[in-house]
Amino acid sequence: MDIAELGQKILNRDRRALARAITLVESQRSDHRKQAGELISELAKHRRQALRIGLSGTPGVGKSTFIESFGLMLTAQGLRVAVLAVDPSSARSGGSILGDKTRMERLSRDPNAFIRPSPSQTHLGGVARRTREAVALCEAADFDVVLIETVGVGQSETVVAEISDLFLLLLAPAGGDELQGVKRGIMEIADVILVNKADGDLKAAATRTCADYSGALRLLRKRPQDPQGFPKALMVSALEDQGLAVAWDEMQKLNDWRREQGCWDQRRADQAQYWFHEELRQAVLSQLNSPEAQSEIQHLALQVADGSLSSATAADLALTRLNIKTG
Amino acid sequence: MDIAELGQKILNRDRRALARAITLVESQRSDHRKQAGELISELAKHRRQALRIGLSGTPGVGKSTFIESFGLMLTAQGLRVAVLAVDPSSARSGGSILGDKTRMERLSRDPNAFIRPSPSQTHLGGVARRTREAVALCEAADFDVVLIETVGVGQSETVVAEISDLFLLLLAPAGGDELQGVKRGIMEIADVILVNKADGDLKAAATRTCADYSGALRLLRKRPQDPQGFPKALMVSALEDQGLAVAWDEMQKLNDWRREQGCWDQRRADQAQYWFHEELRQAVLSQLNSPEAQSEIQHLALQVADGSLSSATAADLALTRLNIKTG
């Protein structure tokens, strides 16, 4: 594959080239990894930037409908929109979010939209790097907005938040005390909570749910990088195209404020450093992932669990037996 | 130091011996570390267990008053109570929580109580191991309840939660929309939220704050290991000794339930395994802590922040230059 040519095509907004490049960064073959690295470095020189919007929500909250309606609203304004998915669960469940493009039939046919389904087999450790590189490719292909969707399994929200400029949490209306299973820290990550399905019979429930989350958000620590009133909860109906323009206004308001305050560039720089340190950490920790190390560790963990070895003693034993140097 | 003799004295509830042993586990000298390891291993054979209660709250919520009133209530019931502090901030601030024993004058004079101030110099990485060992020493010295206090700086709440059987969050009453700075994930960690100062002029505000948090807790995912109604928010007045008995009842109810369900033993076993893996991780990651490594990493991080190197490329460069093997 001619990497220089591929890069030039991406810069020229060639969608086929973009799709091929994303397949390349998803590959685990070492020659592909090397080519992907070259491509990303080359494209980075052009410093094109999109607005990266992370979007999380459990199945059933209407993510596909939201992405389609929201995406079509943006393309109608002349913006070019790319949609990517982070789905670490797909390897297990066999299914994949965005896997069925027909769920977003109109958006997928829009010439100003690009939808990339989640790969059906996902090597968990590589999710973050692969997604970051796919986002970088979409930016090089001159998209204005990159939507990064996650179902919020495991650490995927943290991954997406550390790649995004803005983070949206999509919720469904809930009755009274019904639990929504909002995960640890998610309200701290979210910039805007959108209560979807604020239509028909669910409208009253959506109003109550939105008020509940507005109240809960007020109890959280204010983030110094945000203007008054953020993070905030809003109601939308993706089905009836209600509230989407207001939500987009609020996102832009927050984004403009951060750009003016310099928080935006700082956040990007912080994220790059975060991923650098994270790549380093993961690489160093991979010393504990060999089959030999895993077998030793599991053996010792049983003795720790039944109380016959202390955590500290077991750790010392493992390091000695595995001949791992420490600092 | 005769470790066998020191251990025997601790088992005989000798408070001076306990204090000396805690000083030993706080030491960073390698011969002391070795002795501490022997002592902990020896005492572990006796498998004495206390109820470990973690307590977090920002300065000003009345932690000292609460610990004194709560501790005196427990000792009046014939229980022996130890109080420890986790304060990773003390190294910076120079101050230390529990540093001024006079704040808990009555409890510190109680023969059934043992109060250990936080060491004024704290090596951050060693906080968790040191605290776990101090807790183990208090259990060996036959205390019934070990209170582990933290101001909640950085990761200290997670550390304390992973050492505790129960975790309390102490809050002050807040007016209306006033922000309390409740940190990410803290509501997920807390088993019981106590709104203190529910007395005098603050009683109405405490009632409202308690209701706010009760509402917020209902929005969180229910934990499978807990009975209906937990985690819960309660009002107390440490100053007027109000609500403490009810709070203690609730703690015991939760604790009894977990013991009956087998969650209690499982939690202890999980915590031991958590700390084993954490010790391993920290030891392996310490390869990145040498002055040489830090200097290289900081140099590369600047290039990552200004966009001249990608995170992945910089990480590969660092590992090659530092000659660190990966799995």
Side-chain angles (χ1 to χ4, degrees):
Chain A
M1 197 180 308
D2 185 332
I3 293 300
E5 190 190 326
L6 185 64
Q8 194 51 56
K9 283 183 175 170
I10 291 170
L11 292 167
N12 292 338
R13 303 183 171 186
D14 182 327
R15 296 155 60 102
R16 266 173 205 279
L18 174 60
R20 276 181 61 208
I22 295 181
T23 303
L24 181 69
V25 302
E26 282 171 0
S27 169
Q28 290 171 57
R29 271 176 50 185
S30 61
D31 56 331
H32 288 170
R33 288 291 329 138
K34 190 160 170 296
Q35 289 183 314
E38 284 168 30
L39 179 62
I40 297 293
S41 297
E42 186 53 37
L43 292 173
K45 292 176 189 158
H46 296 268
R47 297 189 177 247
R48 288 185 179 169
Q49 289 178 329
L51 173 60
R52 305 173 181 175
I53 303 179
L55 172 69
S56 178
T58 47
V61 299
K63 279 200 300 298
S64 302
T65 314
F66 173 80
I67 293 172
E68 170 139 292
S69 299
F70 187 66
L72 287 169
M73 181 187 76
L74 298 182
T75 56
Q77 295 179 15
L79 296 170
R80 301 182 71 237
V81 179
V83 184
L84 301 171
V86 175
D87 181 13
S89 69
S90 62
R92 266 174 297 152
S93 69
S96 96
I97 46 175
L98 290 179
D100 185 5
K101 274 202 198 181
T102 58
R103 290 186 307 154
M104 301 185 207
E105 213 186 341
R106 287 163 61 211
L107 189 63
S108 64
R109 282 198 314 260
D110 190 318
N112 283 324
F114 174 86
I115 301 183
R116 176 72 179 199
S118 184
S120 58
Q121 285 299 320
T122 301
H123 175 247
L124 200 67
V127 167
R129 186 190 283 198
R130 192 201 68 211
T131 308
R132 289 192 334 267
E133 290 177 343
V135 169
L137 292 171
C138 291
E139 291 189 308
D142 221 13
F143 283 94
D144 301 295
V145 175
V146 181
L147 268 170
I148 310 148
E149 178 194 3
T150 175
V151 281
V153 175
Q155 293 299 303
S156 65
E157 267 137 0
T158 310
V159 167
V160 173
E162 287 290 346
I163 294 173
S164 307
D165 302 313
L166 290 176
F167 193 81
L168 310 181
L169 174 63
L170 205 63
L171 294 174
D177 271 8
E178 190 186 319
L179 298 162
Q180 290 231 35
V182 171
K183 285 201 320 182
R184 173 179 195 151
I186 184 71
M187 288 203 287
E188 186 85 6
I189 292 176
D191 293 305
V192 180
I193 290 180
L194 297 174
V195 181
N196 193 21
K197 304 190 181 180
D199 45 51
D201 288 350
L202 289 174
K203 186 136 194 186
T207 307
R208 210 169 40 231
T209 300
C210 189
D212 284 351
Y213 281 92
S214 294
L217 288 173
R218 274 197 299 274
L219 296 174
L220 292 174
R221 179 186 299 190
K222 186 169 166 337
R223 290 181 286 199
Q225 74 275 24
D226 288 347
Q228 195 63 40
F230 284 93
K232 66 173 59 179
L234 299 168
M235 281 191 289
V236 295
S237 164
L239 197 66
E240 298 185 350
D241 262 342
Q242 296 289 316
L244 297 177
V246 171
W248 175 234
D249 277 351
E250 293 288 350
M251 290 178 222
Q252 286 179 294
K253 192 194 293 176
L254 178 58
N255 201 50
D256 291 347
W257 197 91
R258 287 184 180 164
R259 278 201 177 269
E260 281 161 25
Q261 305 288 318
C263 308
W264 198 91
D265 291 315
Q266 188 58 50
R267 181 171 166 138
R268 284 267 175 125
D270 289 347
Q271 287 177 340
Q273 292 203 333
Y274 170 86
W275 288 115
F276 166 51
H277 290 292
E278 201 52 31
E279 294 252 1
L280 267 182
R281 284 166 51 89
Q282 293 310 323
V284 171
L285 286 171
S286 70
Q287 293 169 87
L288 299 175
N289 293 346
S290 70
E292 182 208 1
Q294 280 300 305
S295 147
E296 185 66 60
I297 289 167
Q298 279 165 25
H299 177 69
L300 288 165
L302 291 177
Q303 294 172 264
V304 169
D306 73 17
S308 52
L309 273 183
S310 81
S311 312
T313 308
D316 290 343
L317 274 174
L319 294 166
T320 307
R321 291 184 189 167
L322 297 171
N323 196 23
I324 292 176
K325 278 186 305 184
T326 56
Chain B
M1 194 180 309
D2 184 333
I3 292 301
E5 190 189 326
L6 185 63
Q8 194 51 58
K9 282 182 176 171
I10 290 169
L11 291 168
N12 292 338
R13 302 183 171 187
D14 182 325
R15 297 156 59 102
R16 267 173 204 278
L18 175 59
R20 276 182 60 210
I22 294 181
T23 303
L24 181 68
V25 303
E26 282 170 359
S27 169
Q28 289 171 58
R29 271 176 48 184
S30 61
D31 56 332
H32 287 171
R33 288 290 329 137
K34 190 160 170 295
Q35 289 183 315
E38 284 169 28
L39 178 62
I40 296 292
S41 295
E42 186 52 38
L43 292 173
K45 293 175 188 160
H46 296 268
R47 296 188 177 248
R48 286 185 179 169
Q49 289 178 328
L51 173 60
R52 306 173 180 174
I53 303 178
L55 173 69
S56 178
T58 46
V61 299
K63 279 200 301 297
S64 302
T65 314
F66 173 80
I67 292 171
E68 171 139 292
S69 298
F70 187 66
L72 288 168
M73 180 187 76
L74 298 181
T75 57
Q77 295 178 15
L79 296 170
R80 303 183 68 237
V81 179
V83 183
L84 301 171
V86 175
D87 182 12
S89 69
S90 62
R92 266 174 298 153
S93 69
S96 97
I97 46 176
L98 290 178
D100 185 5
K101 274 202 200 182
T102 58
R103 291 185 306 153
M104 301 186 206
E105 213 186 342
R106 287 162 61 211
L107 188 63
S108 63
R109 284 198 314 260
D110 190 318
N112 282 324
F114 174 86
I115 300 183
R116 176 72 178 200
S118 185
S120 57
Q121 285 299 322
T122 299
H123 173 248
L124 200 66
V127 167
R129 186 191 283 200
R130 194 201 68 213
T131 308
R132 287 192 334 265
E133 290 177 344
V135 168
L137 293 171
C138 292
E139 291 188 309
D142 221 14
F143 283 95
D144 301 296
V145 175
V146 181
L147 268 169
I148 310 148
E149 178 193 3
T150 175
V151 280
V153 176
Q155 293 299 302
S156 65
E157 267 138 359
T158 310
V159 168
V160 172
E162 287 289 345
I163 295 174
S164 308
D165 303 313
L166 291 176
F167 193 82
L168 310 181
L169 174 64
L170 206 63
L171 294 174
D177 271 7
E178 189 186 319
L179 297 164
Q180 290 232 35
V182 171
K183 283 200 320 179
R184 174 178 192 150
I186 183 70
M187 289 203 286
E188 186 85 6
I189 292 176
D191 294 306
V192 181
I193 290 180
L194 297 173
V195 181
N196 193 20
K197 303 190 181 180
D199 46 50
D201 288 350
L202 289 175
K203 186 135 192 187
T207 307
R208 210 168 40 230
T209 301
C210 190
D212 284 350
Y213 281 93
S214 294
L217 287 173
R218 274 198 299 274
L219 296 175
L220 292 174
R221 182 184 298 192
K222 184 167 168 339
R223 290 180 286 199
Q225 74 274 24
D226 288 349
Q228 195 61 40
F230 284 93
K232 66 173 59 180
L234 299 168
M235 282 192 290
V236 295
S237 164
L239 198 67
E240 298 185 350
D241 262 341
Q242 295 290 316
L244 297 177
V246 171
W248 175 232
D249 277 350
E250 293 286 351
M251 289 177 224
Q252 287 179 293
K253 192 194 295 180
L254 178 58
N255 201 48
D256 291 347
W257 197 90
R258 286 183 181 164
R259 277 198 176 272
E260 281 161 26
Q261 304 288 319
C263 309
W264 198 91
D265 291 315
Q266 189 59 49
R267 181 170 165 138
R268 285 263 174 130
D270 289 347
Q271 286 177 340
Q273 292 203 333
Y274 171 87
W275 288 114
F276 166 52
H277 290 292
E278 202 52 32
E279 294 253 1
L280 266 182
R281 284 167 52 89
Q282 293 309 322
V284 171
L285 287 171
S286 70
Q287 293 169 84
L288 299 175
N289 293 346
S290 68
E292 181 208 1
Q294 281 297 306
S295 147
E296 185 65 59
I297 290 167
Q298 280 165 26
H299 176 68
L300 287 165
L302 292 177
Q303 294 171 265
V304 169
D306 73 16
S308 53
L309 272 182
S310 81
S311 312
T313 308
D316 290 343
L317 274 174
L319 294 166
T320 306
R321 290 184 189 166
L322 298 171
N323 196 22
I324 292 176
K325 276 186 308 182
T326 57

